[in-house]
Amino acid sequence: MPELPEVEALAQDLRGRLVDRAIARIDLAAFSALKTFDPPLQSLHGTLVEDVTRHGKFLDITASGTHLIVHLARAGWIRWRDDVPALPARPNSKNPLAARVVIDDPDFETTPGLDITEAGTKKSLAIYVVRDPQEVPGIARLGPDPLDDAFTIDVLAGILQSEGRKQIKGVLRHQGTIAGIGNAYSDELLHAARMSPYKPASSLDEAEVQTLYDAIRTVIGAAVERSRGLAASELKGEKKSHLAVHGRTGQACPVCGDTVREVSFADSSLQYCPTCQTGGKPLADRRMSRLLK
């Protein structure tokens, strides 16, 4: 799932490709992906791209005052194409294409554009056309951005206290609490902070809050810096190559050498290092426990 660093890098990459260029048309290939009807999608045809920004994990392409907002969900991605087909994209249940943005630029001999795609059968990618980003419910509910100057240690401490006994892993992932951190980076920054994902949010003392705050700033900030300047096609590989524990079940922890373990849930999983994070004790995998009963 694209998280804050990847979406930030996508915004930077697309900003350089799209700003001051016109949107010729947008082909909608997956009708279920479009979540709004006013303004219509066609209102973006012929508009000039002014900026590409990010709200949490939402990508925002602003064109002539109208916002094309994309949430890539778990399996979505954006691919730049130097030359798109002349014929409009058509709905096809076997095709991962959700929408295609076609660019009109007289300086190009070809017709460039970008494909918004979603792999797999579980379709969660969402596209919105709005006059104000706050019209998108998910954006309106976002918590503070962890890289914003307003996200201070006092803000984090207040969040942790207000969340009470909730597990810190879930608190970090909840977009209405802190924007942009998902499953992968919550694993990574908890590993960097040497904290159990099950640790209650309000149980952190002052030193632990500082440690977690520093981990958030360091892990997320470093990922953004590494991704800066990369094309969309390079971002997935960059992210995977720098993960310490997430997606590395059974491999050696790069810090202590212990085996990275996993806890599985209904639709996701978390990875952690027992030595670094849980005092050497493996966490109970509830799904496996049920199978063994």
Side-chain angles (χ1 to χ4, degrees):
M1 176 186 290
E3 299 179 34
L4 187 158
E6 296 79 54
V7 180
E8 177 67 24
L10 278 173
Q12 293 175 3
D13 181 44
L14 293 177
R15 189 180 302 125
R17 297 178 187 271
L18 298 178
V19 168
D20 295 331
R21 289 176 176 156
I23 295 176
R25 71 175 196 272
I26 301 177
D27 302 334
L28 186 64
F31 294 110
S32 62
L34 183 62
K35 307 302 181 183
T36 54
F37 62 90
D38 181 29
L41 190 64
Q42 292 75 16
S43 67
L44 287 163
H45 295 184
T47 57
L48 196 67
V49 176
E50 299 161 330
D51 201 3
V52 183
T53 54
R54 172 188 63 81
H55 313 277
K57 293 189 283 186
F58 291 81
L59 188 70
D60 181 354
I61 300 172
T62 309
S64 299
T66 300
H67 299 262
L68 175 67
I69 293 178
V70 181
H71 188 272
L72 294 169
R74 177 169 294 184
W77 199 244
I78 290 181
R79 293 176 172 82
W80 177 262
R81 300 186 62 168
D82 292 325
D83 193 13
V84 299
L87 293 176
R90 297 184 179 278
N92 184 340
S93 60
K94 297 181 180 180
N95 192 328
L97 183 68
R100 174 174 291 147
V101 180
V102 181
I103 304 303
D104 182 12
D105 191 325
D107 293 335
F108 282 82
E109 295 182 359
T110 59
T111 303
L114 55 94
D115 283 355
I116 303 170
T117 64
E118 184 175 23
T121 57
K122 186 177 180 180
K123 302 301 182 182
S124 303
L125 184 145
I127 298 171
Y128 308 83
V129 180
V130 294
R131 299 177 182 87
D132 184 337
Q134 293 299 312
E135 296 175 29
V136 178
I139 292 178
R141 294 193 297 264
L142 284 175
D145 192 290
L147 295 186
D148 195 290
D149 289 341
F151 186 76
T152 64
I153 189 169
D154 290 336
V155 169
L156 176 61
I159 288 172
L160 296 175
Q161 284 303 309
S162 67
E163 293 300 303
R165 303 293 295 175
K166 293 180 182 177
Q167 294 174 354
I168 189 67
K169 165 79 174 180
V171 170
L172 293 171
R173 285 189 63 185
H174 188 263
Q175 298 303 294
T177 305
I178 302 174
I181 299 173
N183 195 31
Y185 285 106
S186 57
D187 281 351
E188 292 299 295
L189 62 90
L190 286 172
H191 176 259
R194 303 179 72 88
M195 290 183 186
S196 168
Y198 290 174
K199 189 175 182 66
S202 61
S203 71
L204 274 66
D205 60 28
E206 187 175 338
E208 289 173 323
V209 173
Q210 182 69 61
T211 298
L212 181 60
Y213 180 79
D214 292 342
I216 292 172
R217 288 289 200 172
T218 301
V219 171
I220 302 300
V224 168
E225 287 303 313
R226 287 195 306 269
S227 301
R228 195 181 303 277
L230 295 181
S233 59
E234 302 174 276
L235 289 173
K236 289 184 178 181
E238 192 286 327
K239 176 181 180 180
K240 186 175 182 180
S241 66
H242 285 87
L243 295 175
V245 290
H246 184 79
R248 291 172 51 86
T249 303
Q251 300 181 46
C253 169
V255 174
C256 71
D258 194 2
T259 302
V260 174
R261 304 247 184 166
E262 176 177 307
V263 177
S264 300
F265 303 96
D267 59 351
S268 66
S269 63
L270 65 83
Q271 286 81 42
Y272 68 99
C273 170
T275 295
C276 291
Q277 296 175 254
T278 61
K281 297 179 180 179
L283 298 174
D285 188 333
R286 294 184 177 90
R287 188 173 68 173
M288 290 304 297
S289 296
R290 287 197 301 268
L291 293 175
L292 294 172
K293 285 182 180 179

